[in-house]
Amino acid sequence: MTIFDELESSVQSYARSFPCTFHKAKGEYLFDEQGRAYLDFLSGAGTLNYGHNNERFKQALIEYIQDDGITHGLDMHTRAKEAFLQSFNRYILKPRHLEYRLQFTGPTGTNTVEAAIKLARKVTGRNNIISFTNGFHGVTLGALSATGNSHHRQAAGVSLSGNTRMPFDGYMGDGIDTTQYLEKVLNDASSGVDLPAAVIVETVQGEGGINAASFTWLKSLEKLCHQHDILLIVDDIQAGCGRTGTFFSFESAGIKPDMVTLSKSISGYGLPFALLLLRPDLDQWSPAEHNGTFRGNNVAFVTAKAAIDCYWQDEQFAQGIQDKSHLLKNRLESLAQQYGDGQFQAKGRGMFQGISCVTGELAGKISKNAFSKGLIIETSGADSEVLKCLCPLTITKESLNRGLDILEQAMREVLAKTEQIPEQKQYLDYDIAS
């Protein structure tokens, strides 16, 4: 590890949680230099929904490279881009009755969020953006202004303006519809909140602690946006590409966003690729008004097409995700009930679930113990208190159960050494019915 300590910046984070040198990867497994296998419940923070080195994608990529296919082409037309567009339109957009233009932004999720916010302001002529508590949208300045986490925000070094934070679903406790508060604010000329250009939301907040918005709340949010001529942006960077059981995380809620941001698993193979979907009438950019050197990764087009063709031509893959989602939900709820003295809570939707362990210290100890047993699982949430299950969607049920067995063993051992489980803080202590 000497060369890493000597040369690599201290900004690294995952390497601190999982301190070994990885050498190979396949499916749901990572292997270190000694050949030890680790079950991967991190999946590149949601970038490897189809597993490591998926054979169906790898062959297409190898053939493309060996045929001297274009690697870098700015935003010029290429055969690889054409093939991706055709598959995306045929198997993703048309079956869902969605009509979007596709904008290829820079290669990371924060790039596509920046584009969405910038376009919303251009189209509406307004400046303000509504985002939500515990939301995470990236760490470049525009996206960071919409991100809630103070640790990331403090690194900006400048004032982050142009954004108003609203409470996410469940933030004020059960039984309180926070869209009613948003509605009051938007209708009150003295609320101090300027009419926004857009609302940006994650249907399931990943870095914020696996907080899943209800479908009722999402529908109410969409209705409010329509009433006030506000653009609705769904950030599907981590929750999309099948993670919640459907290709887009908002499908089951029955809403149609004005813009959708995609990255992470859209390439299928872990290659850098980000994409903004926008209503055709919103496509008001002038040529090169929002550009970048890497706004079209052709090798990623190849693997992205392969992923769509392989897994999304019919409902079979989605059904398999939902089956494993039920298994995951049952196991996590059982763990939450069995351990933690009633203070632990299972959270999330689809294959985007986790367990809140009240404190980051406790969750961190469990994650560390699990790693020593061959399971890679990260934490998320405001205080890193949530153990976050992000295994590949292609994982076998046997491997999924094995990973959860390791997690249970780690929890049991850590909690056996814990004298008292901390209690959840109650910030709002009143009877709603009264």
Side-chain angles (χ1 to χ4, degrees), residues 23-98:
H23 180 52
K24 296 179 68 175
K26 191 67 178 177
E28 57 261 39
Y29 286 95
L30 278 165
F31 301 88
D32 66 17
E33 287 185 311
Q34 287 70 46
R36 183 184 180 186
Y38 294 81
L39 264 173
D40 187 3
F41 273 35
L42 173 60
S43 301
T47 303
L48 296 161
N49 281 3
Y50 310 102
H52 294 272
N53 290 304
N54 189 300
E55 284 295 330
R56 301 181 183 186
F57 312 162
K58 182 166 68 174
Q59 190 57 41
L61 180 59
I62 290 171
E63 290 174 2
Y64 183 78
I65 293 172
Q66 287 182 333
D67 197 35
D68 291 328
I70 293 171
T71 299
H72 182 270
L74 294 169
D75 68 352
M76 292 186 287
H77 296 167
T78 65
R79 185 174 294 177
K81 183 194 286 187
E82 178 183 42
F84 166 74
L85 286 169
Q86 289 172 340
S87 284
F88 192 83
N89 190 43
R90 180 179 180 183
Y91 297 121
I92 303 301
L93 296 182
K94 285 189 177 300
R96 294 163 179 79
H97 307 289
L98 297 172

Side-chain angles (χ1 to χ4, degrees), residues 116-117 120-121 124 126-132 137 146 163-168 179 182 186 193-202 217-218 220-222 224-226 228-235 257-261:
I117 290 174
R121 287 170 171 157
T124 65
R126 305 177 208 138
N127 177 65
N128 193 28
I129 302 293
I130 296 285
S131 63
F132 293 93
H137 301 285
N163 182 86
T164 301
R165 197 95 44 217
M166 289 289 157
F168 190 71
T179 61
L182 177 57
L186 293 175
V193 176
D194 296 330
L195 183 66
V199 168
I200 185 167
V201 65
E202 302 157 276
W217 188 87
L218 290 168
S220 180
L221 181 63
E222 181 189 51
L224 270 179
C225 288
H226 287 168
H228 293 273
D229 194 26
I230 301 166
L231 299 179
L232 177 60
I233 304 168
V234 168
D235 182 339
D258 300 297
M259 288 189 264
V260 183
T261 64

Side-chain angles (χ1 to χ4, degrees), residues 4 27 60 66 69 87 101 115 139 141 149 153 176 214 217 230 271 292 373 380:
F4 302 111
Q66 287 182 333
S87 284
R101 290 286 184 92
V139 295
L141 291 184
N149 187 280
R153 292 173 60 83
I176 299 178
S214 71
W217 188 87
I230 301 166
L271 300 172
K373 302 181 189 312
S380 69

